[in-house]
Amino acid sequence: MRFSIDPSHITLQTIQPAWLPPGVEAAMLRLDRLHPDISGNKWFKLKYNLETAEAAGKTHIVTFGGAWSNHIAATALACRMAGLSCTGIIRGEAPPAPGHTLQQARQQGMELCFISREAYREKDTTDWEQRFPNSYIIPEGGHNAAGVRGCREILPLAADDRFTHIACAVGTGTTLAGLVNSAGPQQEVLGVVVLKGAGYLQEEVAAMLEAPVHPRWRLLHDFHLGGYARVTPALIACINQFYTDTHIPLDIIYTGKMVYGVEQLAQQGYFPAGSRILLVHTGGLQGNLSLPPGVLKFQIPNSKSQNGPHMP
Ligand SMILES: *Cc1c(COP(=O)(O)O)cnc(C)c1O
């Protein structure tokens, strides 16, 4: 591929949040530091998709997402850097005033195509290649085999196989599958599901796992706080407290709920003394720009946006 992103900005940071039980250690793998605008797991999911597209001689990418989608934001920029044109199929009517994500995507040259929620539901059975000839289709969220393959490269970045538990947020489960495929036999991989009623994920994740399947992985369905993108005072309090304890910003959709879930498990005594927990920060901080200013204690790092929350 003509461009790549150097992962050297990703750090492994030891953390001591207030809720960490005695005798338990924790660290965060900071994928949010990968790149100012293509933060986190989305790059790992895009990487082999873009490579496959280029190898097949495709010059146009078509992909899907909602109006605040981190995947749309990341794809728009990655395509521009790779010299590919792209279309984002966006769920729902065109908003009168597009938010930060869509504005940025358009600025990167992504063509936005708004479709009804009904049509969006049919997207996986729609013949997009007929409508966009010679294009490469990336499913919503980068949820395919090439995406899983890229996510296999996340865990080795921690360069430490002594973690007993690895935790990440789960949307499609692609990132989780990549982590499970690269985990050691002694490690348990925990996926905090951010959607409500997502029982189908058990099978979908299992379908992405390599044989021999790593047996120690679990989906946690109790920490979505009401459903996708639902924000509660408890979540905001958790994110703000975590920032006070660690100076690490979390996003409200994914990583905030991941930390909230791990905190709840810790309080339930899930992690025995001697445990070492690796929390994977999958990025996504641009999604916080959907919040009114002042709700979170921190400014969104690296964002060039003029309309986001600002610290005093
Ligand atoms: C998209 C996203 C996820 C979900 O990843 P999946 O591979 O779809 O499970 C997690 N965290 C962040 C920050 C994301 O943007």
Side-chain angles (χ1 to χ4, degrees), residues 94-159:
H100 169 80
T101 308
L102 296 180
Q103 274 180 41
Q104 291 272 97
R106 209 173 247 156
Q107 267 167 30
Q108 303 299 344
M110 179 182 262
E111 173 199 24
L112 300 179
C113 176
F114 294 88
I115 62 173
S116 69
R117 282 163 195 276
E118 296 72 52
Y120 195 86
R121 249 177 262 127
E122 309 291 311
K123 68 184 181 311
D124 294 334
T125 50
T126 304
D127 185 359
W128 295 104
E129 272 160 89
Q130 189 199 348
R131 182 148 164 211
F132 298 96
N134 202 34
S135 59
Y136 178 89
I137 315 291
I138 302 180
E140 181 181 49
H143 178 209
N144 61 9
V148 184
R149 183 174 157 217
C151 291
R152 227 185 173 291
E153 296 175 5
I154 294 173
L155 196 50
L157 295 170

Side-chain angles (χ1 to χ4, degrees), residues 39 41-42 45 70-71 141 143 151 169-176 251 254-255 281-285:
S39 76
N41 61 340
K42 296 301 183 280
K45 297 201 273 184
N70 295 326
H71 169 70
H143 178 209
C151 291
V170 171
T172 64
T174 312
T175 306
L176 177 71
D251 83 292
Y254 294 103
T255 54
H281 194 315
T282 39
L285 295 167

Side-chain angles (χ1 to χ4, degrees), residues 13 55 65 67 69 89 104 112 114 136 146 169 202 206 210 229 236 287 295 300:
Q13 184 175 339
S69 162
I89 310 286
Q104 291 272 97
L112 300 179
F114 294 88
Y136 178 89
Q202 189 70 30
E210 292 166 13
I236 296 295
V295 174
I300 312 308

